[in-house]
Short mmCIF file of all heavy atoms in Angstrom, two decimals:
data_model
loop_
_atom_site.label_atom_id
_atom_site.label_comp_id
_atom_site.label_asym_id
_atom_site.label_seq_id
_atom_site.Cartn_x
_atom_site.Cartn_y
_atom_site.Cartn_z
N ALA A 874 112.76 104.88 108.61
CA ALA A 874 113.12 103.93 109.65
C ALA A 874 112.65 102.50 109.29
O ALA A 874 113.40 101.53 109.46
CB ALA A 874 112.51 104.36 110.98
N ARG A 875 111.45 102.39 108.75
CA ARG A 875 110.91 101.06 108.38
C ARG A 875 111.71 100.49 107.20
O ARG A 875 112.05 99.32 107.18
CB ARG A 875 109.43 101.14 108.05
CG ARG A 875 108.83 99.79 107.73
CD ARG A 875 108.88 98.85 108.92
NE ARG A 875 108.23 97.61 108.59
CZ ARG A 875 108.67 96.43 108.97
NH1 ARG A 875 109.74 96.33 109.76
NH2 ARG A 875 108.05 95.33 108.61
N LEU A 876 112.03 101.35 106.25
CA LEU A 876 112.83 100.90 105.10
C LEU A 876 114.18 100.39 105.60
O LEU A 876 114.65 99.32 105.20
CB LEU A 876 113.04 102.03 104.11
CG LEU A 876 114.00 101.77 102.95
CD1 LEU A 876 113.50 100.61 102.11
CD2 LEU A 876 114.15 103.04 102.08
N GLU A 877 114.83 101.13 106.49
CA GLU A 877 116.13 100.72 107.01
C GLU A 877 116.02 99.42 107.76
O GLU A 877 116.88 98.52 107.60
CB GLU A 877 116.68 101.82 107.91
CG GLU A 877 118.05 101.51 108.47
CD GLU A 877 118.57 102.60 109.39
OE1 GLU A 877 118.13 103.77 109.24
OE2 GLU A 877 119.43 102.27 110.24
N SER A 878 114.99 99.26 108.55
CA SER A 878 114.78 98.03 109.32
C SER A 878 114.59 96.80 108.40
O SER A 878 115.22 95.74 108.62
CB SER A 878 113.54 98.18 110.20
OG SER A 878 113.18 96.95 110.81
N LEU A 879 113.82 96.95 107.38
CA LEU A 879 113.58 95.84 106.42
C LEU A 879 114.88 95.51 105.70
O LEU A 879 115.17 94.33 105.47
CB LEU A 879 112.51 96.20 105.43
CG LEU A 879 111.08 96.26 106.01
CD1 LEU A 879 110.13 96.98 105.09
CD2 LEU A 879 110.57 94.84 106.32
N ARG A 880 115.63 96.49 105.32
CA ARG A 880 116.88 96.26 104.58
C ARG A 880 117.90 95.59 105.49
O ARG A 880 118.61 94.65 105.05
CB ARG A 880 117.42 97.56 104.02
CG ARG A 880 116.48 98.10 102.91
CD ARG A 880 117.05 99.18 102.08
NE ARG A 880 118.13 98.57 101.25
CZ ARG A 880 119.14 99.25 100.78
NH1 ARG A 880 119.27 100.53 101.03
NH2 ARG A 880 120.04 98.64 100.01
N LYS A 881 117.98 96.03 106.75
CA LYS A 881 118.90 95.33 107.70
C LYS A 881 118.51 93.89 107.92
O LYS A 881 119.40 93.06 108.17
CB LYS A 881 118.91 96.10 109.02
CG LYS A 881 119.74 97.38 109.00
CD LYS A 881 119.81 98.01 110.37
CE LYS A 881 120.66 99.28 110.27
NZ LYS A 881 120.70 99.98 111.56
N ALA A 882 117.22 93.59 107.81
CA ALA A 882 116.75 92.22 107.97
C ALA A 882 116.98 91.39 106.73
O ALA A 882 116.72 90.20 106.71
CB ALA A 882 115.29 92.23 108.34
N GLY A 883 117.47 92.02 105.66
CA GLY A 883 117.77 91.29 104.43
C GLY A 883 116.60 91.08 103.54
O GLY A 883 116.66 90.23 102.61
N ARG A 884 115.49 91.76 103.79
CA ARG A 884 114.29 91.59 102.95
C ARG A 884 114.35 92.49 101.71
O ARG A 884 114.81 93.63 101.79
CB ARG A 884 113.04 92.02 103.74
CG ARG A 884 112.72 91.04 104.82
CD ARG A 884 111.36 90.53 104.96
NE ARG A 884 110.31 90.68 104.03
CZ ARG A 884 109.06 91.05 104.37
NH1 ARG A 884 108.83 91.41 105.60
NH2 ARG A 884 108.14 91.09 103.47
N PRO A 885 113.91 91.98 100.57
CA PRO A 885 113.74 92.85 99.43
C PRO A 885 112.59 93.80 99.73
O PRO A 885 111.61 93.41 100.37
CB PRO A 885 113.45 91.89 98.28
CG PRO A 885 112.95 90.65 98.93
CD PRO A 885 113.56 90.61 100.30
N VAL A 886 112.69 95.02 99.23
CA VAL A 886 111.65 96.01 99.49
C VAL A 886 111.31 96.80 98.19
O VAL A 886 112.19 97.24 97.50
CB VAL A 886 112.12 97.04 100.55
CG1 VAL A 886 111.03 98.03 100.87
CG2 VAL A 886 112.64 96.38 101.81
N PHE A 887 110.02 96.89 97.95
CA PHE A 887 109.51 97.71 96.87
C PHE A 887 108.84 98.93 97.50
O PHE A 887 107.94 98.74 98.36
CB PHE A 887 108.51 96.97 96.00
CG PHE A 887 107.91 97.78 94.90
CD1 PHE A 887 108.68 98.20 93.84
CD2 PHE A 887 106.58 98.15 94.97
CE1 PHE A 887 108.08 98.98 92.83
CE2 PHE A 887 106.00 98.91 93.96
CZ PHE A 887 106.78 99.33 92.88
N VAL A 888 109.31 100.11 97.16
CA VAL A 888 108.72 101.35 97.73
C VAL A 888 108.13 102.11 96.56
O VAL A 888 108.78 102.29 95.55
CB VAL A 888 109.83 102.20 98.41
CG1 VAL A 888 109.21 103.46 98.99
CG2 VAL A 888 110.57 101.42 99.47
N TYR A 889 106.93 102.59 96.77
CA TYR A 889 106.37 103.48 95.76
C TYR A 889 105.74 104.69 96.42
O TYR A 889 105.14 104.60 97.45
CB TYR A 889 105.46 102.80 94.75
CG TYR A 889 104.13 102.27 95.20
CD1 TYR A 889 102.96 102.99 95.04
CD2 TYR A 889 104.04 100.98 95.75
CE1 TYR A 889 101.75 102.49 95.40
CE2 TYR A 889 102.80 100.46 96.10
CZ TYR A 889 101.64 101.21 95.93
OH TYR A 889 100.45 100.69 96.29
N PHE A 890 105.99 105.81 95.80
CA PHE A 890 105.45 107.09 96.24
C PHE A 890 104.34 107.51 95.31
O PHE A 890 104.49 107.47 94.08
CB PHE A 890 106.56 108.18 96.28
CG PHE A 890 107.61 107.89 97.31
CD1 PHE A 890 108.68 107.07 97.02
CD2 PHE A 890 107.46 108.36 98.59
CE1 PHE A 890 109.62 106.77 97.98
CE2 PHE A 890 108.42 108.07 99.57
CZ PHE A 890 109.51 107.25 99.25
N THR A 891 103.22 107.92 95.88
CA THR A 891 102.02 108.20 95.14
C THR A 891 101.32 109.39 95.78
O THR A 891 101.77 109.89 96.83
CB THR A 891 101.08 106.96 95.15
OG1 THR A 891 99.98 107.20 94.34
CG2 THR A 891 100.67 106.57 96.54
N ALA A 892 100.28 109.87 95.14
CA ALA A 892 99.42 110.92 95.70
C ALA A 892 98.02 110.73 95.15
O ALA A 892 97.86 110.32 93.97
CB ALA A 892 99.97 112.29 95.34
N ASP A 893 97.04 111.07 95.92
CA ASP A 893 95.65 110.93 95.45
C ASP A 893 95.37 111.76 94.22
O ASP A 893 94.51 111.42 93.42
CB ASP A 893 94.66 111.28 96.57
CG ASP A 893 94.54 110.21 97.63
OD1 ASP A 893 95.09 109.10 97.40
OD2 ASP A 893 93.90 110.47 98.67
N TRP A 894 96.02 112.88 94.08
CA TRP A 894 95.78 113.79 92.96
C TRP A 894 96.60 113.43 91.72
O TRP A 894 96.48 114.05 90.66
CB TRP A 894 96.10 115.26 93.34
CG TRP A 894 97.36 115.39 94.12
CD1 TRP A 894 97.48 115.56 95.48
CD2 TRP A 894 98.69 115.44 93.61
NE1 TRP A 894 98.81 115.69 95.84
CE2 TRP A 894 99.56 115.60 94.70
CE3 TRP A 894 99.25 115.31 92.34
CZ2 TRP A 894 100.97 115.65 94.55
CZ3 TRP A 894 100.63 115.37 92.19
CH2 TRP A 894 101.47 115.56 93.29
N CYS A 895 97.44 112.39 91.79
CA CYS A 895 98.34 112.01 90.69
C CYS A 895 97.66 110.93 89.83
O CYS A 895 97.64 109.76 90.19
CB CYS A 895 99.66 111.50 91.26
SG CYS A 895 100.76 110.85 90.02
N LEU A 896 97.16 111.36 88.69
CA LEU A 896 96.47 110.42 87.79
C LEU A 896 97.41 109.32 87.29
O LEU A 896 97.04 108.15 87.27
CB LEU A 896 95.87 111.20 86.59
CG LEU A 896 95.10 110.34 85.59
CD1 LEU A 896 93.93 109.63 86.28
CD2 LEU A 896 94.59 111.17 84.42
N THR A 897 98.64 109.67 86.96
CA THR A 897 99.60 108.66 86.50
C THR A 897 99.84 107.63 87.57
O THR A 897 99.86 106.42 87.30
CB THR A 897 100.95 109.31 86.11
OG1 THR A 897 100.71 110.28 85.08
CG2 THR A 897 101.95 108.29 85.65
N CYS A 898 99.95 108.07 88.82
CA CYS A 898 100.17 107.16 89.95
C CYS A 898 99.01 106.17 90.06
O CYS A 898 99.24 104.96 90.18
CB CYS A 898 100.27 107.92 91.26
SG CYS A 898 101.59 109.11 91.40
N LYS A 899 97.77 106.68 90.01
CA LYS A 899 96.63 105.84 90.19
C LYS A 899 96.45 104.81 89.05
O LYS A 899 96.10 103.69 89.28
CB LYS A 899 95.36 106.71 90.35
CG LYS A 899 95.38 107.56 91.59
CD LYS A 899 95.61 106.71 92.85
CE LYS A 899 96.03 107.48 94.04
NZ LYS A 899 96.48 106.64 95.12
N VAL A 900 96.75 105.27 87.85
CA VAL A 900 96.67 104.32 86.72
C VAL A 900 97.71 103.24 86.85
O VAL A 900 97.42 102.04 86.67
CB VAL A 900 96.80 105.10 85.36
CG1 VAL A 900 96.97 104.11 84.22
CG2 VAL A 900 95.58 105.97 85.12
N ASN A 901 98.94 103.60 87.20
CA ASN A 901 100.00 102.63 87.38
C ASN A 901 99.66 101.65 88.50
O ASN A 901 99.91 100.44 88.35
CB ASN A 901 101.34 103.32 87.69
CG ASN A 901 101.90 104.07 86.49
OD1 ASN A 901 101.47 103.90 85.38
ND2 ASN A 901 102.87 104.88 86.77
N GLU A 902 99.10 102.13 89.58
CA GLU A 902 98.72 101.27 90.70
C GLU A 902 97.67 100.23 90.25
O GLU A 902 97.84 99.01 90.54
CB GLU A 902 98.20 102.09 91.86
CG GLU A 902 99.31 102.89 92.55
CD GLU A 902 98.76 104.02 93.41
OE1 GLU A 902 97.57 103.97 93.86
OE2 GLU A 902 99.52 104.98 93.63
N LYS A 903 96.66 100.68 89.60
CA LYS A 903 95.60 99.79 89.16
C LYS A 903 96.06 98.82 88.05
O LYS A 903 95.65 97.67 88.00
CB LYS A 903 94.35 100.55 88.74
CG LYS A 903 93.70 101.39 89.81
CD LYS A 903 93.31 100.54 90.99
CE LYS A 903 92.73 101.42 92.07
NZ LYS A 903 92.84 100.82 93.42
N ALA A 904 96.89 99.29 87.16
CA ALA A 904 97.29 98.47 86.04
C ALA A 904 98.45 97.54 86.31
O ALA A 904 98.57 96.48 85.70
CB ALA A 904 97.69 99.37 84.85
N ALA A 905 99.34 97.89 87.25
CA ALA A 905 100.55 97.09 87.45
C ALA A 905 100.91 96.71 88.88
O ALA A 905 101.38 95.60 89.12
CB ALA A 905 101.73 97.82 86.85
N ILE A 906 100.66 97.58 89.80
CA ILE A 906 101.11 97.32 91.18
C ILE A 906 100.08 96.58 92.01
O ILE A 906 100.41 95.58 92.66
CB ILE A 906 101.50 98.66 91.88
CG1 ILE A 906 102.65 99.34 91.13
CG2 ILE A 906 101.90 98.42 93.32
CD1 ILE A 906 102.97 100.73 91.59
N GLU A 907 98.86 97.01 92.01
CA GLU A 907 97.84 96.41 92.86
C GLU A 907 97.06 95.34 92.06
O GLU A 907 95.84 95.30 92.05
CB GLU A 907 96.91 97.51 93.35
CG GLU A 907 97.62 98.48 94.24
CD GLU A 907 96.75 99.69 94.63
OE1 GLU A 907 95.57 99.74 94.21
OE2 GLU A 907 97.26 100.58 95.31
N THR A 908 97.83 94.43 91.46
CA THR A 908 97.21 93.31 90.73
C THR A 908 97.49 91.99 91.45
O THR A 908 98.46 91.93 92.21
CB THR A 908 97.75 93.22 89.27
OG1 THR A 908 99.14 92.85 89.34
CG2 THR A 908 97.56 94.53 88.53
N ASP A 909 96.70 90.99 91.20
CA ASP A 909 96.93 89.68 91.81
C ASP A 909 98.31 89.11 91.39
O ASP A 909 98.97 88.51 92.22
CB ASP A 909 95.83 88.72 91.40
CG ASP A 909 94.48 89.10 92.02
OD1 ASP A 909 94.46 89.81 93.05
OD2 ASP A 909 93.45 88.63 91.47
N THR A 910 98.69 89.33 90.17
CA THR A 910 99.97 88.80 89.69
C THR A 910 101.15 89.44 90.45
O THR A 910 102.07 88.72 90.86
CB THR A 910 100.15 89.06 88.18
OG1 THR A 910 99.03 88.46 87.50
CG2 THR A 910 101.43 88.52 87.64
N THR A 911 101.07 90.74 90.59
CA THR A 911 102.17 91.44 91.32
C THR A 911 102.18 91.04 92.79
O THR A 911 103.23 90.75 93.39
CB THR A 911 102.02 92.98 91.18
OG1 THR A 911 102.07 93.30 89.80
CG2 THR A 911 103.13 93.69 91.91
N ARG A 912 100.99 90.99 93.40
CA ARG A 912 100.92 90.60 94.83
C ARG A 912 101.50 89.19 95.01
O ARG A 912 102.24 88.92 95.96
CB ARG A 912 99.47 90.63 95.30
CG ARG A 912 98.98 92.00 95.60
CD ARG A 912 97.60 91.93 96.30
NE ARG A 912 96.97 93.21 96.24
CZ ARG A 912 96.04 93.59 95.36
NH1 ARG A 912 95.56 92.72 94.48
NH2 ARG A 912 95.51 94.78 95.40
N ALA A 913 101.18 88.26 94.08
CA ALA A 913 101.68 86.91 94.18
C ALA A 913 103.19 86.87 94.03
O ALA A 913 103.88 86.14 94.73
CB ALA A 913 101.00 86.02 93.13
N ALA A 914 103.73 87.66 93.12
CA ALA A 914 105.20 87.67 92.92
C ALA A 914 105.87 88.23 94.14
O ALA A 914 106.92 87.71 94.58
CB ALA A 914 105.54 88.50 91.67
N PHE A 915 105.32 89.30 94.69
CA PHE A 915 105.92 89.86 95.94
C PHE A 915 105.85 88.85 97.08
O PHE A 915 106.84 88.68 97.81
CB PHE A 915 105.19 91.16 96.32
CG PHE A 915 105.53 92.37 95.48
CD1 PHE A 915 104.70 93.48 95.51
CD2 PHE A 915 106.68 92.41 94.67
CE1 PHE A 915 105.01 94.62 94.75
CE2 PHE A 915 106.95 93.52 93.88
CZ PHE A 915 106.14 94.63 93.95
N ALA A 916 104.73 88.17 97.19
CA ALA A 916 104.61 87.18 98.27
C ALA A 916 105.60 86.03 98.07
O ALA A 916 106.23 85.56 99.01
CB ALA A 916 103.15 86.67 98.32
N ALA A 917 105.72 85.54 96.85
CA ALA A 917 106.61 84.43 96.54
C ALA A 917 108.07 84.73 96.85
O ALA A 917 108.83 83.85 97.14
CB ALA A 917 106.41 84.00 95.08
#
């Protein structure tokens, strides 16, 4: 529902699916997603 709402509003959306037990997920989050550079690009 939230994804649909954001898309109807014309906002770009990045969705990622993760799990606490997923080592690949956690490494990707720390190395690429949850970085200052990525946050700044998303905000901009």
Side-chain angles (χ1 to χ4, degrees):
R875 183 64 177 140
L876 174 60
E877 182 180 335
S878 171
L879 289 164
R880 294 194 69 206
K881 282 184 179 177
R884 290 229 11 227
V886 184
F887 176 70
V888 181
Y889 68 97
F890 293 88
T891 185
D893 284 351
W894 45 260
C895 173
L896 181 59
T897 302
C898 301
K899 296 303 163 192
V900 170
N901 290 346
E902 289 163 23
K903 297 302 177 204
I906 298 170
E907 296 172 3
T908 67
D909 291 339
T910 302
T911 301
R912 283 189 196 101
F915 285 164

